[in-house]
Amino acid sequence: MGIFPGFSSWINQNIQQPLKASAKRSEKGKSSSASEEDRYLQGPWYWNPDLSPKEKAESMELDHVKSMPMFASDPKYYDLDELVRQVRLWMSENKKHPWHDEPAKVKVKTKKGICHLNIDFTMGWPPQAVYEMFTDPRNIGYFHSMGKYKKNWRTRLDTIATKVLKKDGPRQVTEVEKVLRWKILGYNGTFPIHLIIDENHQKVTATYKKVKVKHMKVFEGSWKMEPLYVDQERLCKSRSRISAEEYKKCSGGKGRIGSKVTMEHIFQPSSLLNVPPASWFIRGIAIKFTKVLLQDLREYVIMMKNSIVISPGS
């Protein structure tokens, strides 16, 4: 059995959502329409490298890309076996040795009308898995308010379309169209976001800048994930800085690796809106929704760790 089945139980069996009737497929597995709702199905995707030709052919018969054994980041540039092993460790060890992530720390600085958000947080989940959550455009439901959209399964942040502009080894430049759903004081609507994202699948880093973002003159930023050896003090009896290889050796392979996430988000409202009190309102809303989306990710990971235990042989 390949390495994907255990990982697919994390991705496929527990985060699939009801599909809308309009997402119909032809017999060849291609989209039967070119509606905005379906354009994101074009990619970018990377097949699980352990799939046999038969398994790949069977996967092509599935009715939706969210059900296929694919990744948003290229598995050539990281150890997929180790990622699956770490996911299993987090799920099996969570009750015995719980790890509590604090809410994100957001520092705000405004200078000459430009707002800088510097964000730091930790997550009890492997860096590559967190990175996959940040980059995966399949609308799997990471940014989902538990209960708020329960009846119609609508997420706060959806991807409408993606297009790979450049692929150079682990580097991938992608054009992405997203929509952010908002609700304020009883009013709700959508906020379109059109970005160019420059990813490095090996370094688990990315930068982004706007193509077009409604009401924004500047909209750009970056993120990176670094390993956090959460069991080092307990299993290795050491607080000094060590490498991944040393950590695996001194912990007997039982040490979980979490993520230290560092983000920077820079934005500036368009000229007509970049004056008080409108600028204050827009900055306040942007900061609020940034925190809400990060909290969605945090709650999602907590839910995953508490809902399933994957045995080593699964």
Side-chain angles (χ1 to χ4, degrees):
M1 181 177 290
I3 59 176
F4 191 82
F7 202 45
S8 66
S9 66
W10 166 48
I11 294 178
N12 293 333
Q13 296 177 13
N14 301 283
I15 52 185
Q16 289 185 42
Q17 299 173 359
L19 305 177
K20 297 180 180 179
S22 60
K24 295 180 180 179
R25 311 285 286 178
S26 67
E27 290 183 359
K28 293 184 179 181
K30 296 181 180 179
S31 177
S32 59
S33 69
S35 66
E36 280 197 356
E37 184 175 320
D38 296 328
R39 278 190 294 142
Y40 78 93
L41 300 179
Q42 297 173 14
W45 313 118
Y46 298 95
W47 286 97
N48 169 33
D50 270 19
L51 283 181
S52 67
K54 179 181 179 181
E55 289 171 324
K56 188 173 181 179
E58 290 173 348
S59 297
M60 292 295 291
E61 299 298 321
L62 298 175
D63 63 351
H64 199 277
V65 72
K66 282 195 291 186
S67 303
M68 296 180 184
M70 294 179 175
F71 300 92
S73 51
D74 194 339
K76 289 181 182 178
Y77 300 104
Y78 60 92
D79 190 336
L80 189 53
D81 286 328
E82 179 62 17
L83 175 58
V84 174
R85 193 183 74 83
Q86 279 293 325
V87 168
R88 290 171 175 164
L89 265 179
W90 276 105
M91 290 181 168
S92 62
E93 296 293 311
N94 187 56
K95 289 186 177 180
K96 291 186 289 184
H97 303 286
W99 173 265
H100 301 287
D101 293 316
E102 296 293 330
K105 297 179 180 178
V106 181
K107 295 181 180 179
V108 183
K109 182 179 180 180
T110 303
K111 186 176 182 179
K112 295 182 179 180
I114 301 178
C115 188
H116 294 252
L117 302 185
N118 291 296
I119 305 164
D120 294 289
F121 63 96
T122 62
M123 191 170 286
W125 212 232
Q128 194 66 49
V130 175
Y131 190 77
E132 186 83 6
M133 293 167 68
F134 270 63
T135 58
D136 197 321
R138 286 180 287 182
N139 300 332
I140 288 176
Y142 304 126
F143 303 101
H144 184 269
S145 175
M146 300 301 175
K148 188 171 183 179
Y149 297 111
K150 188 174 181 180
K151 292 183 179 179
N152 57 15
W153 292 98
R154 302 188 77 187
T155 60
R156 274 190 247 271
L157 185 65
D158 274 348
T159 300
I160 303 300
T162 61
K163 180 182 179 181
V164 176
L165 304 179
K166 182 178 181 180
K167 182 75 169 77
D168 182 14
R171 184 187 176 207
Q172 176 177 291
V173 180
T174 310
E175 185 176 356
V176 181
E177 294 178 50
K178 293 179 177 288
V179 61
L180 173 66
R181 295 186 176 87
W182 57 265
K183 185 173 184 180
I184 304 171
L185 301 176
Y187 296 93
N188 59 73
T190 58
F191 186 76
I193 302 171
H194 190 177
L195 304 172
I196 299 293
I197 304 178
D198 192 338
E199 307 168 19
N200 190 306
H201 297 166
Q202 191 170 44
K203 295 181 179 179
V204 286
T205 61
T207 60
Y208 61 89
K209 61 181 179 179
K210 80 177 185 74
V211 175
K212 185 178 180 181
V213 179
K214 191 175 182 180
H215 304 314
M216 290 291 172
K217 182 179 181 180
V218 176
F219 194 93
E220 59 189 52
S222 64
W223 67 74
K224 66 177 180 179
M225 288 77 184
E226 298 176 284
L228 187 65
Y229 304 134
V230 302
D231 295 316
Q232 180 179 340
E233 189 175 344
R234 179 173 64 87
L235 296 177
C236 300
K237 312 300 182 183
S238 170
R239 294 186 180 183
S240 59
R241 189 178 182 87
I242 59 176
S243 67
E245 292 76 14
E246 291 170 329
Y247 180 59
K248 188 173 183 179
K249 184 177 180 180
C250 68
S251 68
K254 297 180 180 179
R256 296 166 295 177
I257 300 178
S259 300
K260 178 183 177 183
V261 185
T262 304
M263 298 178 61
E264 182 180 28
H265 181 48
I266 303 169
F267 66 91
Q268 180 183 18
S270 56
S271 300
L272 293 176
L273 297 173
N274 200 24
V275 292
S279 59
W280 300 339
F281 178 77
I282 292 175
R283 280 198 295 268
I285 294 300
I287 294 168
K288 175 185 177 181
F289 273 98
T290 299
K291 291 180 177 179
V292 167
L293 291 173
L294 294 177
Q295 182 63 17
D296 283 347
L297 287 179
R298 179 174 174 268
E299 291 179 358
Y300 185 87
V301 167
I302 291 172
M303 178 193 71
M304 291 305 301
K305 289 187 295 187
N306 290 338
S307 61
I308 311 168
V309 173
I310 298 181
S311 64
S314 62

